[in-house]
Amino acid sequence: MQSTTQAGTHHYQRIPLMRLEPSIPASYYYDARHYERELEAFWYAMWVVAGREEEVPNPRDYKVVKIGTQGILIVRDLDGQLRAFHNTCRHRGSILCTDEAGTLRSRRIVCPYHSWTYELDGTLVATPRQMDTPGFDMKDYRLFDVALGTWGGFIFVDLAGRAAGPLAEALGGIPDQFTRYGFADLRVGKRIVVDVQANWKLLFENFSECFHCPPVHPELCQIVSAYRDAGAWGMHYDAAGNLIKELKPRYREDAATLTLDGTARIPPFRDLTEEERRTLYIAQTFRPNLFLNVHPDYVNSHMMFPTGPESVRMVYDWLFEPDSMRLPSFDLEHYVALWDVTNRQDANNCRWQQEGLHSRELRHGNFVPQEVVCHQFNQWVLQTLGEAGAPAARSSVGNGGPAAV
């Protein structure tokens, strides 16, 4: 029996599509009723990334993350354990924490409306000014639990709560792939938050192909020379289906990492193998909302949160080893510049695509051979939704973005 995970991977045969393949219906990218279906099938029924552990560093610290229409309160308890609950009081439904992040004023969570009070494990412990109420038992009114897990310094939540499956199964082989990169020890050097007027699936598809790279990302193609071939690098096979070794260079000859000029200002991650130090770029995805651009000396992560049928919030982080950020040679903007311009270019293209999808004549888009990963993502969407005509065996095994180069 095949195991199922939400993880994407770049370790797979990128055999191109044999013909033009249709995308999911165009309306699936903007129809409000369909968007509600996807909230239930993906965002409320799967593990999703919610932030970084360093955002909630100390006991009583908290952050609130919005997943679809659901506000999730993540708090570190007095023993240092992270916990997650719906940001909803059990009395009459008021939100509990009104700021996006902060530190609780006391050792408990207190509703700002009528002061119902909860321990940091979610237990209701006080209902001030309430008259005697026969049959009322505080044990029956704990906060609504949300499953929480961590990997690599990332916080993941699953709104299924106690019914959620193991996070490790959803992550698949990702932890083993990046064992020596020390993700848990990395820290955010820069965060950029951008609201993009496009459906979340367009952002995922965009990350999954580099057919668009030559006209859209000249800066990226200057460093990753493989992408000048319009995303066809690593997709050439002989008649028997065997991968043909690429003879073209993967990167600019003098590149040491992915920056505008290819130069590095800090050393590679300390535990990498020699081969990993030479692998300047690995693109990885965790469905539905984490993208990773992994380099020998830093990581650019994308966390994606849908805000409507045609809008999404992108949280871009640049992650570094703390010791590297203290070096005199460290130059934050040097490392931010390439992915910042690339991410903005992608946001613009997704916004333009979103507008064009509303054409009365367009029933669906079309995938060319290099867009095989987009097609696979579309099939996963249909399978998860239980769409008629989709492959019968549901699998959430995914594929990453452009091949590791």
Side-chain angles (χ1 to χ4, degrees):
M1 178 178 177
Q2 180 177 331
S3 63
T4 60
T5 75
Q6 291 176 237
T9 176
H10 68 286
H11 296 298
Y12 77 108
Q13 282 200 336
R14 290 174 179 272
I15 299 175
L17 299 173
M18 295 297 101
R19 59 176 183 270
L20 223 61
E21 291 285 352
S23 74
I24 57 179
S27 63
Y28 281 20
Y29 295 96
Y30 58 80
D31 182 80
R33 287 175 296 182
H34 179 77
Y35 173 69
E36 294 295 328
R37 291 181 61 205
E38 291 191 342
L39 288 179
E40 295 292 339
F42 300 98
W43 301 91
Y44 302 161
M46 295 182 175
W47 286 99
V48 298
V49 71
R52 292 284 296 176
E53 290 189 69
E54 65 185 277
E55 297 180 74
V56 194
N58 303 309
R60 297 171 40 231
D61 287 349
Y62 71 88
K63 71 166 291 184
V64 176
V65 61
K66 199 72 174 294
I67 300 173
T69 62
Q70 304 299 296
I72 308 303
L73 170 62
I74 299 170
V75 62
R76 195 174 291 275
D77 69 19
L78 299 179
D79 295 325
Q81 179 179 345
L82 285 170
R83 297 180 179 270
F85 311 99
H86 285 265
N87 188 30
T88 301
C89 181
R90 291 298 306 275
H91 176 210
R92 288 175 47 200
S94 172
I95 61 173
L96 298 163
C97 292
T98 57
D99 295 329
E100 291 186 359
T103 301
L104 298 173
R105 295 179 182 177
S106 70
R107 298 160 63 93
R108 292 172 171 170
I109 301 167
V110 181
C111 177
Y113 195 5
H114 297 96
S115 300
W116 278 33
T117 302
Y118 304 84
E119 297 285 11
L120 300 188
D121 66 359
T123 304
L124 178 64
V125 293
T127 59
R129 299 173 303 282
Q130 179 174 319
M131 298 172 62
D132 288 341
T133 308
F136 176 75
D137 189 338
M138 288 188 187
K139 293 194 297 294
D140 297 332
Y141 294 90
R142 63 173 286 110
L143 294 178
F144 296 114
D145 291 295
V146 172
L148 182 146
T150 61
W151 166 76
F154 291 101
I155 300 171
F156 298 83
V157 296
D158 189 329
L159 273 66
R162 298 180 188 276
L167 173 61
E169 289 185 8
L171 286 168
I174 290 179
D176 291 338
Q177 180 184 2
F178 295 113
T179 298
R180 288 174 293 276
Y181 285 80
F183 281 7
D185 297 323
L186 304 183
R187 294 295 178 265
V188 177
K190 177 79 169 184
R191 168 168 288 182
I192 296 177
V193 180
V194 179
D195 289 312
V196 183
Q197 300 307 304
N199 181 270
W200 68 275
K201 296 187 296 301
L202 295 184
L203 275 295
F204 201 105
E205 291 170 11
N206 176 82
F207 188 83
S208 300
E209 54 91 357
C210 212
F211 183 52
H212 69 279
C213 286
V216 176
H217 302 312
E219 298 86 356
L220 181 60
C221 289
Q222 282 295 317
I223 303 303
V224 187
S225 52
Y227 288 169
R228 298 172 193 168
D229 196 18
W233 192 93
M235 299 186 68
H236 300 107
Y237 291 79
D238 62 22
N242 299 311
L243 184 66
I244 298 173
K245 184 177 180 180
E246 299 284 352
L247 300 178
K248 299 178 182 178
R250 303 181 184 186
Y251 314 104
R252 200 172 80 178
E253 183 177 358
D254 59 348
T257 189
L258 261 64
T259 54
L260 281 175
D261 62 3
T263 62
R265 304 290 173 87
I266 54 178
F269 296 136
R270 62 176 66 89
D271 295 325
L272 297 186
T273 65
E274 191 58 39
E275 181 181 354
E276 288 169 334
R277 292 183 180 206
R278 291 196 301 267
T279 303
L280 302 194
Y281 181 26
I282 301 173
Q284 181 58 278
T285 59
F286 177 84
R287 296 165 174 167
N289 74 325
L290 175 63
F291 315 152
L292 297 171
N293 294 312
V294 182
H295 313 297
D297 50 352
Y298 79 103
V299 174
N300 173 237
S301 67
H302 303 188
M303 295 182 286
M304 177 170 64
F305 303 95
T307 54
E310 300 187 76
S311 61
V312 66
R313 173 160 291 186
M314 300 299 298
V315 180
Y316 304 115
D317 284 343
W318 282 259
L319 307 173
F320 303 90
E321 288 181 334
D323 287 347
S324 291
M325 288 192 283
R326 289 190 284 267
L327 293 174
S329 60
F330 179 67
D331 182 344
L332 180 60
E333 292 310 310
H334 176 75
Y335 278 94
V336 169
L338 176 61
W339 281 119
D340 185 27
V341 68
T342 302
N343 294 340
R344 292 178 188 279
Q345 291 162 343
D346 283 334
N348 280 334
N349 278 272
C350 290
R351 177 171 56 85
W352 296 332
Q353 186 181 5
Q354 183 70 44
E355 183 176 346
L357 283 166
H358 279 274
S359 168
R360 291 169 57 90
E361 300 299 325
L362 185 70
R363 296 294 178 262
H364 57 76
N366 298 282
F367 295 125
V368 301
Q370 296 100 309
E371 296 168 322
V372 57
V373 184
C374 295
H375 179 254
Q376 292 171 343
F377 171 70
N378 269 211
Q379 293 304 301
W380 177 75
V381 168
L382 293 174
Q383 292 164 19
T384 304
L385 292 170
E387 292 280 329
R394 174 182 173 181
S395 172
S396 55
V397 175
N399 298 301
V405 288

